[in-house]
Amino acid sequence: DTEVTQTPKHLVMGMTNKKSLKCEQHMGHRAMYWYKQKAKKPPELMFVYSYEKLSINESVPSRFSPECPNSSLLNLHLHALQPEDSALYLCASSQPLPDRFRGNIQYFGAGTRLSVL
Amino acid sequence: SQQGEEDPQALSIQEGENATMNCSYKTSINNLQWYRQNSGRGLVHLILIRSNEREKHSGRLRVTLDTSKKSSSLLITASRAADTASYFCATRNTGTASKLTFGTGTRLQVTL
């Protein structure tokens, strides 16, 4: 099973709402990632979790709050978002450490298309 | 920005032709990977080339790497309409552990 599952597929929220994005993988990967992608742009890294601990925060505004409850699940809690936060949010997973043999190949979910009104 | 540059930004070819896209990056790397993204979907890993390798093949894909020029190319031979997608190079830079840095991407359109 090489699947990363993201829910929901689409989300529309107002600027005062609180919502959560969910990501799940059962490949035994111990690194999980959140990316933000705007149209016709590459993915931008937001957060990296390694062994359920936050290892990288790319200076993301506090209205985005990640959580890794266990090795298979990754959440992104959203609160008081702005219209410019509308984007495709991608989750990915990989083996966590510098791995000379596997090279940090990342497996991506299909994404959540978020619209902030 | 550490982001790599890809060219062309967009490429339109006919089915059966070859497609070549190029990637340049800025720092020393452990490896370089290519990913494909169908419209509005997740990315799919295609191929990985390590910093000590110069060329790699996988099916209809051929990747080259020139670390002296900090550049890579992806060749798709005998293209098909199903190859229509955006293609991104991604580098795992030395010292950055689990982090990949993605290039700006090439949008490939293959017409019948």
Side-chain angles (χ1 to χ4, degrees), chain A residues 14-114:
Chain A
M15 290 190 284
T16 58
N17 291 158
K18 286 185 181 181
K19 297 285 184 183
S20 297
L21 309 185
K22 297 186 183 301
C23 175
E24 188 169 6
Q25 57 88 14
H26 295 287
M27 294 179 277
H29 290 166
R30 302 305 295 274
M32 296 185 76
Y33 311 79
W34 280 115
Y35 289 88
K36 174 183 177 180
Q37 186 179 28
K38 293 282 214 178
K40 299 185 180 180
K41 297 291 186 182
E44 296 176 25
L45 183 65
M46 301 173 72
F47 303 103
V48 180
Y49 273 82
S50 181
Y51 292 98
E52 296 87 68
K53 293 192 188 314
L54 184 64
S55 60
I56 297 177
N57 177 343
E58 293 285 86
S59 302
V60 178
S62 60
R63 58 186 184 268
F64 295 91
S65 175
E67 178 196 20
C68 190
N70 60 55
S71 60
S72 300
L73 293 174
L74 185 67
N75 298 322
L76 186 63
H77 303 298
L78 314 173
H79 174 55
L81 294 193
Q82 304 297 309
E84 59 265 29
D85 296 322
S86 298
L88 181 67
Y89 287 84
L90 294 165
C91 172
S93 71
S94 77
Q95 296 298 343
L97 295 176
D99 183 333
R100 296 181 63 188
F101 299 103
R102 283 167 288 195
N104 191 33
I105 292 171
Q106 295 188 11
Y107 295 82
F108 284 80
T112 293
R113 175 74 60 190
L114 174 66

Side-chain angles (χ1 to χ4, degrees), chain B residues 32-51:
Chain B
L32 185 143
Q33 303 174 36
W34 286 89
Y35 287 79
R36 183 188 74 221
Q37 184 178 32
N38 290 84
S39 180
R41 306 285 293 172
L43 283 75
V44 175
H45 178 263
L46 294 176
I47 192 166
L48 178 152
I49 186 165
R50 300 184 194 285
S51 58

Side-chain angles (χ1 to χ4, degrees), chain B residues 35-88:
Chain B
Y35 287 79
R36 183 188 74 221
Q37 184 178 32
N38 290 84
S39 180
R41 306 285 293 172
L43 283 75
V44 175
H45 178 263
L46 294 176
I47 192 166
L48 178 152
I49 186 165
R50 300 184 194 285
S51 58
N52 61 352
E53 297 175 315
R54 292 296 167 257
E55 187 171 314
K56 205 155 180 189
H57 298 255
S58 177
R60 295 185 294 113
L61 304 180
R62 173 179 170 252
V63 170
T64 62
L65 179 65
D66 186 336
T67 52
S68 67
K69 294 181 179 177
K70 292 187 167 57
S71 67
S72 173
S73 67
L74 172 68
L75 168 68
I76 304 174
T77 60
S79 63
R80 305 166 181 168
D83 296 327
T84 295
S86 291
Y87 292 80
F88 295 94

